[in-house]
Amino acid sequence: MSKKILLSHGGGGEETQNLIKELFFKHFDNEILLRMEDAASLVMGSTKIAFTTDSFVVSPLFFKGGNIGKLAIAGTVNDLSMMGAKPKYLTCSFMIEEGFEYAKLEEIVISMRDEMAKSGVKIVAGDTKVVPRGGVDGLFINTAGIGEIQYEGISAHNLTEGDVIIVSNEVGNHGACILATREEIELESDLQTDCASLWKPVEALINAGVKIHALRDATRGGLSAVLNEWAETSKVCIEVDEAKIPVAQEVKGVCELLGFEPYEFANEGTMVICLPQSEAQKALEVLQTFPETAKCAFIGKVTTAFTCKVILHTPWGSERFLEPPKGELLPRIC
Amino acid sequence: MSKKILLSHGGGGEETQNLIKELFFKHFDNEILLRMEDAASLVMGSTKIAFTTDSFVVSPLFFKGGNIGKLAIAGTVNDLSMMGAKPKYLTCSFMIEEGFEYAKLEEIVISMRDEMAKSGVKIVAGDTKVVPRGGVDGLFINTAGIGEIQYEGISAHNLTEGDVIIVSNEVGNHGACILATREEIELESDLQTDCASLWKPVEALINAGVKIHALRDATRGGLSAVLNEWAETSKVCIEVDEAKIPVAQEVKGVCELLGFEPYEFANEGTMVICLPQSEAQKALEVLQTFPETAKCAFIGKVTTAFTCKVILHTPWGSERFLEPPKGELLPRIC
């Protein structure tokens, strides 16, 4: 049987990494791409810029706390922010199914406008394709973005023994929210996506002089994917304390009900930060002043116990490896 | 009945312009976007760059002379080239249907690599989404691109009485090729897409010191869309001589058979150039040295006969307005 593309190739876990390395890196080989950061860092003339892209295929298009449009802005703003780059300009491309409701499209466009205002980014070029019914399910949006690098040297290669790991918010909210919507689970409380633009808190960290080693938003593959990629890229061990990882009660509920791990759930406005221990207190104080990062927490540290591995210390004193996410995970989560 | 998105909103003609103006410009209002060029021109630090995006949803994915991958590179390279910008960096996002054949994807990726070599552009960031069966028909690709502006002032606002209009190649080949493939029309000869990266000929025009007023690749909506948009934007009349517009015999055949106009057919490697009459001879000589623009031709001139209108002089001595394309045209042509 001929080899086919599987859902797991798009899950953000191990199979996605393999597809990228075996197919795209093989043919699109160049040193900037191979760095594998959230955005490419480039020099144009004498200016250092970051450049990134993301397509959004989330289903459903509307969910608690957001919609595909908000996601498409925040996602690309965050990819730039994670490179220490001030988001400046976006392009936006709509792929729309014939018959899509104009009013829904306008609602999405308005969400995009509102989300752009939060970081001051602008859409400067666009494209619209309409495909006959059945050619695409509703609406896909691609955004690409350019930012001005304001803090250099952030990289997945920089983790050093003694560094600490901080998450900026509860983990798993976006994944749990989408899953609950799809499965029509009635949640007692108000679980919603964490979708948010993170440039303001990142800018505040930079302005406060906080030294950052690595920074990444925990999207597809969640916290687990980021930590494992970092451990492997920097050839270190990351040890995290499960009791310290903030997880909303409703997210725990969804996970127990459906057999998922909150650490593998996608987030859309939650970042993981690695920095020297001496910087941790200042970073937490800065993050606490923003509503989108007010629930930030110190969760672990960089050691050399098991190179390229992530160790989870459970509240009961035992420990286990937090393995990189694998398999289908959740298709169309973003 | 609630207002819906129609195929014509994506055709590149009048309805597309209306959607852009009424929905996207309304909410994404900013001066760069409102210029409506093929790519945005931006200043980053002290460097002038062009920035653009395009999503490709062509069906079928493979056709004579190319495939969706070649199209995705040439399309974005050309949008940058049309702004006088040397294409430097691309992002690339794949939206793939579960079950898509790996070997086909690799063939597409290899075409992308080969097409990039022609202009020296590089993919520096990417994204891969896989959606469950039925969520997307096969494969969509988005590319966004950054270029370094090397010739300033190209604009649809620049057409001046006395200027001449040149096309760089036969018109209608891509549209006719896709349509013939879909309709399974057996063509006696070897009609294939004109899909090509146009940076090399544009660079040669710039290096030869040719003064360019306006430049646009005639994609969706074809030659007719470009000329009408220019006439309207610059508030001039464009008069073209039908006998001088190069149209392949097979394209004429497809048009007669199916009731289309070759001037409304999409091209993927054919540009329209407006320049002062004194520059025309030099421009044609430069273009004739490249295989992709060897069939270039002088087709008409800018006058003030009917402001905002395009006049077609037929070989029989009559004349008519070449109206802007309207209606459904050909969905999924690029």
Side-chain angles (χ1 to χ4, degrees), chain B residues 83-139:
Chain B
M83 295 297 288
K86 180 183 171 64
K88 295 279 287 182
Y89 302 109
L90 301 181
T91 59
C92 173
S93 175
F94 294 92
M95 289 147 273
I96 314 172
E97 186 177 20
E98 176 191 10
F100 195 82
E101 271 184 49
Y102 188 93
K104 276 194 191 169
L105 185 60
E106 183 154 29
E107 190 180 340
I108 288 164
V109 165
I110 289 170
S111 295
M112 297 176 79
R113 178 198 67 191
D114 294 346
E115 194 60 29
M116 284 195 282
K118 291 176 193 163
S119 59
V121 76
K122 285 189 181 90
I123 289 177
V124 293
D127 176 47
T128 309
K129 294 289 189 313
V130 181
V131 298
R133 278 170 214 278
V136 64
D137 180 22
L139 172 69

Side-chain angles (χ1 to χ4, degrees), chain A residues 23-40:
Chain A
L23 183 60
F24 302 130
F25 285 4
K26 180 176 157 195
H27 297 297
F28 298 154
D29 177 37
N30 69 68
E31 125 195 25
I32 305 166
L33 184 64
L34 297 185
R35 273 185 228 138
M36 294 192 69
E37 305 288 355
D38 265 354

Side-chain angles (χ1 to χ4, degrees), chain A:
Chain A
M1 214 179 73
S2 66
K3 199 169 157 187
K4 303 226 190 290
I5 298 296
L6 307 173
L7 284 175
S8 59
H9 285 120
E14 208 171 286
E15 295 89 342
T16 305
Q17 295 304 323
N18 291 342
L19 180 72
I20 291 171
K21 286 175 189 161
E22 285 163 22
L23 183 60
F24 302 130
F25 285 4
K26 180 176 157 195
H27 297 297
F28 298 154
D29 177 37
N30 69 68
E31 125 195 25
I32 305 166
L33 184 64
L34 297 185
R35 273 185 228 138
M36 294 192 69
E37 305 288 355
D38 265 354
S41 68
L42 308 170
V43 182
M44 294 292 286
S46 55
T47 309
K48 289 186 175 139
I49 67 172
F51 185 26
T52 190
T53 188
D54 236 327
S55 289
F56 297 85
V57 301
V58 68
S59 171
L61 296 172
F62 295 84
F63 40 84
K64 257 195 191 164
N67 62 44
I68 188 173
K70 181 176 181 176
L71 215 57
I73 300 300
T76 292
V77 159
N78 291 347
D79 279 350
L80 295 172
S81 304
M82 297 306 112
M83 296 296 290
K86 180 181 170 66
K88 295 280 286 182
Y89 302 110
L90 301 182
T91 60
C92 173
S93 176
F94 294 92
M95 290 148 272
I96 314 171
E97 186 177 20
E98 176 191 10
F100 194 81
E101 271 184 49
Y102 189 93
K104 275 193 192 170
L105 185 60
E106 183 154 30
E107 188 180 342
I108 289 165
V109 164
I110 290 170
S111 296
M112 296 175 80
R113 178 198 67 191
D114 294 346
E115 194 60 29
M116 284 194 283
K118 292 176 193 163
S119 59
V121 76
K122 287 190 178 91
I123 288 178
V124 293
D127 176 49
T128 311
K129 295 289 188 316
V130 182
V131 299
R133 277 170 214 279
V136 65
D137 180 23
L139 173 69
F140 292 175
I141 301 178
N142 175 280
T143 49
I146 300 180
E148 249 170 25
I149 295 181
Q150 307 213 328
Y151 182 96
E152 282 186 74
I154 295 174
S155 166
H157 291 85
N158 282 350
L159 281 78
T160 311
E161 189 179 358
D163 281 357
V164 300
I165 306 289
I166 287 172
V167 291
S168 68
N169 194 358
E170 293 168 337
V171 303
N173 290 9
H174 180 73
C177 165
I178 295 291
L179 195 62
T181 312
R182 280 192 207 156
E183 305 281 331
E184 297 179 355
I185 297 169
E186 289 291 333
L187 295 169
E188 275 168 36
S189 69
D190 195 39
L191 175 65
Q192 60 174 46
T193 175
D194 60 306
C195 179
S197 291
L198 293 171
W199 171 243
K200 288 293 166 196
V202 170
E203 186 181 37
L205 288 173
I206 295 172
N207 289 343
V210 172
K211 194 172 173 195
I212 302 166
H213 279 173
L215 189 62
R216 190 155 290 190
D217 57 336
T219 55
R220 278 182 295 178
L223 177 66
S224 175
V226 173
L227 295 180
N228 274 285
E229 210 181 308
W230 281 359
E232 199 173 308
T233 309
S234 285
K235 310 263 177 273
V236 293
C237 179
I238 298 175
E239 297 189 52
V240 294
D241 192 344
E242 190 162 21
K244 292 185 176 150
I245 305 175
V247 181
Q249 209 50 51
E250 304 91 318
V251 173
K252 286 182 187 158
V254 170
C255 283
E256 275 167 28
L257 203 62
L258 301 168
F260 284 91
E261 277 235 83
Y263 317 127
E264 295 194 351
F265 270 164
N267 308 277
E268 291 297 334
T270 301
M271 58 187 162
V272 194
I273 311 167
C274 173
L275 32 65
Q277 180 150 25
S278 56
E279 305 287 305
Q281 194 50 42
K282 188 159 59 171
L284 290 168
E285 282 166 14
V286 168
L287 295 174
Q288 278 153 2
T289 64
F290 294 87
E292 57 273 34
T293 54
K295 292 179 183 164
C296 61
F298 158 80
I299 62 163
K301 53 187 195 290
V302 179
T303 71
T304 52
F306 282 89
T307 312
C308 302
K309 286 288 190 183
V310 180
I311 298 173
L312 194 71
H313 295 274
T314 74
W316 307 279
S318 66
E319 58 194 45
R320 63 177 173 97
F321 290 128
L322 185 66
E323 297 292 344
K326 219 179 145 163
E328 297 199 1
L329 302 171
L330 286 171
R332 301 188 64 181
I333 198 73
C334 63

Side-chain angles (χ1 to χ4, degrees), chain B residues 180-196:
Chain B
T181 312
R182 280 192 207 156
E183 304 282 332
E184 295 181 355
I185 297 169
E186 288 290 333
L187 295 168
E188 275 168 34
S189 69
D190 195 38
L191 175 66
Q192 59 174 46
T193 176
D194 60 305
C195 177

